[in-house]
Amino acid sequence: MRILVTNDDGIHAEGIAVLARVAKQFGEVAVCAPDREKSACGHGMTLHDPLRVRPHEVEGCRGYVVNGLPVDCVNIGLAEAFPDGCDLVLSGINNGPNLGFDITYSGTVAGAMEGCINGIASIALSMAVFVSGAPFHYETGEAWLNENLGRLIPLAPKSGSFLNVNIPAIAFEEIEGVRVCGMGKRVYEERVERRDDPWGRPYYWQGGVAVMDGSEPGTDVDAIRNHYVSVTPVSLDWTDHAALGSLAEALSGPSPLHGR
Ligand code: MN
């Protein structure tokens, strides 16, 4: 099995070394990752600047470091490392949760999404730590993946959707199990903070405190809160299928403005 490993925390991050170590038990691994942290870059790609690639071994696996984003890394990794095809894209392990609406910002999830767009089974992996400065517990992630990645790989869809996995950042013994669940809601309070610089000019810093809505059962947010690993199948089709009929009906017939 040919496995491409990427992330959005950069090639020097601890999480990608852990992931490469686990992945190489399952086949031939190549790592292709950004040269620095690119978290919260979403599904962006570099179009207007040249991308430079340097060899960089990770955990004994051949690797490439790129001055780009996770999407760039997946596409360069596929072209350079696996020109004859790749069977699996793994993205992570991220140094923080990717739950609910987070996945729209996430470079980690974008890595898996890009694998999926290329028609390859893909899995995004994150350590769900919530307190700044708290331990990521990568050893828990490694232990859980050593036991479970072999089970997940054949379940990762080959096209149209991918898996988003969050592992609670707690001791391995404290993990209650696995829950397959949908996306919850994760919204942020005080998203933008305005401060003044030493010259009295305002500047803004985005971040905010995540307010988790854990009241909804069956969601990734709820699973993590209850110390379960969450596994969410995420579809690339963003269509609101339930709205198609009523929207089509509302837009059929004459326009009320022009009466024709
Ligand atoms: Mn990240």
mmCIF file of all heavy atoms in Angstrom, residues 7-10 37-41 93-98 106-108 126, ligand 1:
data_model
loop_
_atom_site.group_PDB
_atom_site.id
_atom_site.type_symbol
_atom_site.label_atom_id
_atom_site.label_comp_id
_atom_site.label_asym_id
_atom_site.label_seq_id
_atom_site.Cartn_x
_atom_site.Cartn_y
_atom_site.Cartn_z
ATOM 1 N N ASN A 7 0.396 17.277 6.520
ATOM 2 C CA ASN A 7 -0.200 17.940 7.678
ATOM 3 C C ASN A 7 -0.272 19.442 7.407
ATOM 4 O O ASN A 7 0.080 19.897 6.311
ATOM 5 C CB ASN A 7 0.596 17.657 8.969
ATOM 6 C CG ASN A 7 1.897 18.440 9.042
ATOM 7 O OD1 ASN A 7 2.337 19.054 8.079
ATOM 8 N ND2 ASN A 7 2.524 18.425 10.199
ATOM 9 N N ASP A 8 -0.739 20.192 8.386
ATOM 10 C CA ASP A 8 -0.710 21.659 8.256
ATOM 11 C C ASP A 8 0.125 22.307 9.361
ATOM 12 O O ASP A 8 0.218 23.527 9.423
ATOM 13 C CB ASP A 8 -2.125 22.255 8.206
ATOM 14 C CG ASP A 8 -2.823 22.311 9.564
ATOM 15 O OD1 ASP A 8 -2.302 21.730 10.541
ATOM 16 O OD2 ASP A 8 -3.896 22.929 9.648
ATOM 17 N N ASP A 9 0.726 21.486 10.224
ATOM 18 C CA ASP A 9 1.553 22.029 11.308
ATOM 19 C C ASP A 9 3.017 22.135 10.895
ATOM 20 O O ASP A 9 3.847 22.614 11.673
ATOM 21 C CB ASP A 9 1.451 21.142 12.554
ATOM 22 C CG ASP A 9 0.039 21.115 13.111
ATOM 23 O OD1 ASP A 9 -0.690 22.108 12.923
ATOM 24 O OD2 ASP A 9 -0.337 20.103 13.730
ATOM 25 N N GLY A 10 3.324 21.661 9.699
ATOM 26 C CA GLY A 10 4.696 21.726 9.207
ATOM 27 C C GLY A 10 5.426 20.408 9.389
ATOM 28 O O GLY A 10 5.083 19.596 10.259
ATOM 29 N N GLU A 37 4.384 26.035 10.053
ATOM 30 C CA GLU A 37 2.977 25.866 10.420
ATOM 31 C C GLU A 37 2.073 26.666 9.492
ATOM 32 O O GLU A 37 2.298 27.843 9.242
ATOM 33 C CB GLU A 37 2.754 26.298 11.872
ATOM 34 C CG GLU A 37 1.277 26.434 12.198
ATOM 35 C CD GLU A 37 0.887 25.937 13.561
ATOM 36 O OE1 GLU A 37 1.757 25.769 14.417
ATOM 37 O OE2 GLU A 37 -0.334 25.741 13.760
ATOM 38 N N LYS A 38 1.053 25.983 8.970
ATOM 39 C CA LYS A 38 0.083 26.624 8.070
ATOM 40 C C LYS A 38 -1.335 26.363 8.555
ATOM 41 O O LYS A 38 -2.265 26.281 7.743
ATOM 42 C CB LYS A 38 0.248 26.075 6.647
ATOM 43 C CG LYS A 38 1.589 26.376 6.010
ATOM 44 C CD LYS A 38 1.714 27.828 5.634
ATOM 45 C CE LYS A 38 3.036 28.103 4.934
ATOM 46 N NZ LYS A 38 3.213 29.529 4.650
ATOM 47 N N SER A 39 -1.508 26.214 9.863
ATOM 48 C CA SER A 39 -2.834 25.911 10.397
ATOM 49 C C SER A 39 -3.839 26.989 10.005
ATOM 50 O O SER A 39 -3.490 28.153 9.846
ATOM 51 C CB SER A 39 -2.763 25.806 11.919
ATOM 52 O OG SER A 39 -2.008 24.678 12.285
ATOM 53 N N ALA A 40 -5.094 26.556 9.873
ATOM 54 C CA ALA A 40 -6.218 27.438 9.536
ATOM 55 C C ALA A 40 -6.084 28.082 8.159
ATOM 56 O O ALA A 40 -6.584 29.164 7.918
ATOM 57 C CB ALA A 40 -6.427 28.512 10.613
ATOM 58 N N CYS A 41 -5.407 27.373 7.240
ATOM 59 C CA CYS A 41 -5.317 27.869 5.862
ATOM 60 C C CYS A 41 -6.451 27.331 5.009
ATOM 61 O O CYS A 41 -6.574 27.693 3.837
ATOM 62 C CB CYS A 41 -3.979 27.486 5.249
ATOM 63 S SG CYS A 41 -3.800 25.705 5.018
ATOM 64 N N ILE A 93 -0.764 14.180 12.501
ATOM 65 C CA ILE A 93 -1.886 14.337 13.429
ATOM 66 C C ILE A 93 -1.871 15.783 13.891
ATOM 67 O O ILE A 93 -0.851 16.249 14.414
ATOM 68 C CB ILE A 93 -1.730 13.407 14.652
ATOM 69 C CG1 ILE A 93 -1.575 11.952 14.219
ATOM 70 C CG2 ILE A 93 -2.922 13.549 15.579
ATOM 71 C CD1 ILE A 93 -1.208 11.030 15.396
ATOM 72 N N ASN A 94 -2.985 16.496 13.730
ATOM 73 C CA ASN A 94 -3.003 17.927 14.036
ATOM 74 C C ASN A 94 -2.859 18.200 15.526
ATOM 75 O O ASN A 94 -3.317 17.421 16.358
ATOM 76 C CB ASN A 94 -4.313 18.537 13.535
ATOM 77 C CG ASN A 94 -4.270 20.040 13.580
ATOM 78 O OD1 ASN A 94 -3.373 20.652 13.028
ATOM 79 N ND2 ASN A 94 -5.218 20.647 14.279
ATOM 80 N N ASN A 95 -2.244 19.345 15.823
ATOM 81 C CA ASN A 95 -2.037 19.733 17.223
ATOM 82 C C ASN A 95 -3.233 20.509 17.772
ATOM 83 O O ASN A 95 -3.099 21.595 18.321
ATOM 84 C CB ASN A 95 -0.751 20.542 17.380
ATOM 85 C CG ASN A 95 -0.773 21.828 16.570
ATOM 86 O OD1 ASN A 95 -1.796 22.180 15.984
ATOM 87 N ND2 ASN A 95 0.333 22.533 16.527
ATOM 88 N N GLY A 96 -4.420 19.934 17.593
ATOM 89 C CA GLY A 96 -5.636 20.562 18.092
ATOM 90 C C GLY A 96 -6.833 19.938 17.415
ATOM 91 O O GLY A 96 -6.678 19.215 16.429
ATOM 92 N N PRO A 97 -8.032 20.202 17.957
ATOM 93 C CA PRO A 97 -9.221 19.546 17.416
ATOM 94 C C PRO A 97 -9.643 20.101 16.061
ATOM 95 O O PRO A 97 -9.359 21.249 15.736
ATOM 96 C CB PRO A 97 -10.298 19.868 18.474
ATOM 97 C CG PRO A 97 -9.831 21.125 19.124
ATOM 98 C CD PRO A 97 -8.330 21.096 19.087
ATOM 99 N N ASN A 98 -10.306 19.266 15.279
ATOM 100 C CA ASN A 98 -10.981 19.697 14.060
ATOM 101 C C ASN A 98 -12.398 19.142 14.098
ATOM 102 O O ASN A 98 -12.697 18.114 13.494
ATOM 103 C CB ASN A 98 -10.226 19.222 12.819
ATOM 104 C CG ASN A 98 -9.063 20.142 12.499
ATOM 105 O OD1 ASN A 98 -9.247 21.341 12.322
ATOM 106 N ND2 ASN A 98 -7.864 19.591 12.436
ATOM 107 N N SER A 106 -9.787 24.229 8.509
ATOM 108 C CA SER A 106 -8.663 23.347 8.800
ATOM 109 C C SER A 106 -7.802 23.008 7.590
ATOM 110 O O SER A 106 -8.292 22.509 6.574
ATOM 111 C CB SER A 106 -9.215 22.043 9.393
ATOM 112 O OG SER A 106 -8.191 21.088 9.472
ATOM 113 N N GLY A 107 -6.502 23.234 7.702
ATOM 114 C CA GLY A 107 -5.570 22.769 6.677
ATOM 115 C C GLY A 107 -5.400 21.259 6.750
ATOM 116 O O GLY A 107 -5.158 20.603 5.736
ATOM 117 N N THR A 108 -5.505 20.708 7.953
ATOM 118 C CA THR A 108 -5.405 19.251 8.127
ATOM 119 C C THR A 108 -6.510 18.549 7.347
ATOM 120 O O THR A 108 -6.267 17.602 6.588
ATOM 121 C CB THR A 108 -5.551 18.891 9.626
ATOM 122 O OG1 THR A 108 -4.580 19.622 10.365
ATOM 123 C CG2 THR A 108 -5.392 17.412 9.858
ATOM 124 N N SER A 126 -6.640 14.307 14.161
ATOM 125 C CA SER A 126 -6.344 15.432 15.049
ATOM 126 C C SER A 126 -6.369 14.997 16.503
ATOM 127 O O SER A 126 -7.184 14.157 16.892
ATOM 128 C CB SER A 126 -7.398 16.538 14.867
ATOM 129 O OG SER A 126 -7.475 16.944 13.520
HETATM 130 MN MN MN B 1 -2.679 22.562 12.515
#
